[in-house]
Amino acid sequence: MVTQHRRRALVTGGSSGIGRAIAESLALDGCDVGIFYLGEPDEGRPVVKAIESHGGRGWMHIGDVSDSGQAQAAVDSFIAEFGGIDILINNAGIFRDHVIWKMSDEEWRSVIDVDLTGVFNFSRAVAPTMRSNGGGAIVNISSINGLRGKFGQSNYSAAKAGVIGLTKTLARELARSNTTVNAVAPGLIDTPILDAMPETERKKAVEEILLGRIGTAQDVADLVVFLCSDRARFITGEVIRVDGGQYI
Ligand code: NAD
């Protein structure tokens, strides 16, 4: 990706955990960064402040990735504000675990809607501008559970596997307009999403991680920043695990 201006990045789920680390790291790498998330204004403000303290222009918008109208409106407003978009990070995600015989329609649908349809909504909204403005980079946050499945996560694993299929198709569709599309598949990462995880389950997980620890949001952000940089210009349609060897 060759750009003359500061790169303009939009991070969904940028108020917390992995998304927040990505937003701040992209700012440190020289980007202006907008975050889109579902929550209170107070959750996003410190992130915007951090982006600005790293020298980038910050922006925030509250909404639901699973609502295509809200996704389009947010992308339109970002483009109006920044004059274009070079980087999209589809990171927003939730989980609602239950074994399949106990999973409700609502648990199935909400996870598919946020974790898979949300990626579609934002990718479709940015594609015309990336196509007409000389290209860009899209990074989708999947999960190792989209590669291997996980007990109790039929909804989440299906959504995250779907993200991989979507990534490969978008890589094909957008390559001619110089846009790379890749997926990152984290293993267990220490973020607020893990707050509800019992200590025994954490210990069990650490035992299967070759590098012997739970990952940090920064471990993921460092890879994402690389994939958005010119150094990754010949990488597209790829799925890269960042899991300390949890799944090999
Ligand atoms: P987190 O709960 O700390 O942050 C989730 C973010 O997504 C928040 O900003 C939240 O506002 C936003 N969000 C949730 N639902 C939304 C919606 N409907 N619309 C807009 N924004 C919404 O979680 P995290 O651990 O940082 O997870 C980030 C991503 O990484 C998710 O896609 C998750 O599935 C994936 N992931 C996490 C882990 C892990 O162990 N933490 C492992 C693999 C993949």
Side-chain angles (χ1 to χ4, degrees), residues 85-101:
I85 183 162
D86 306 291
I87 293 167
L88 169 66
I89 313 297
N90 282 307
N91 160 82
I94 56 167
F95 63 88
R96 302 275 181 273
D97 293 4
H98 251 146
V99 284
I100 194 153
W101 56 93

Side-chain angles (χ1 to χ4, degrees), residues 11-22 35-40 43 61-67 70 90-96 110 113-115 118-119 122 140-146 156 160 163 184-195 197 214-215 217 220 242 246:
V11 183
T12 71
S15 66
S16 169
I18 293 171
R20 178 175 182 162
I22 292 170
I35 60 170
F36 178 93
Y37 67 98
L38 196 57
E40 297 303 319
E43 292 168 36
H61 195 109
I62 293 172
D64 186 343
V65 290
S66 70
D67 182 313
Q70 290 184 32
N90 282 307
N91 160 82
I94 56 167
F95 63 88
R96 302 275 181 273
S110 57
D113 287 353
V114 174
D115 294 12
V119 178
F122 270 82
N140 299 324
I141 307 301
S142 177
S143 163
I144 58 167
N145 296 337
Y156 185 82
K160 294 298 189 181
V163 165
V184 165
L188 198 62
I189 306 296
D190 199 5
T191 71
I193 221 174
L194 293 196
D195 285 351
M197 191 176 194
I214 293 178
V220 182
V242 50
Q246 187 176 359

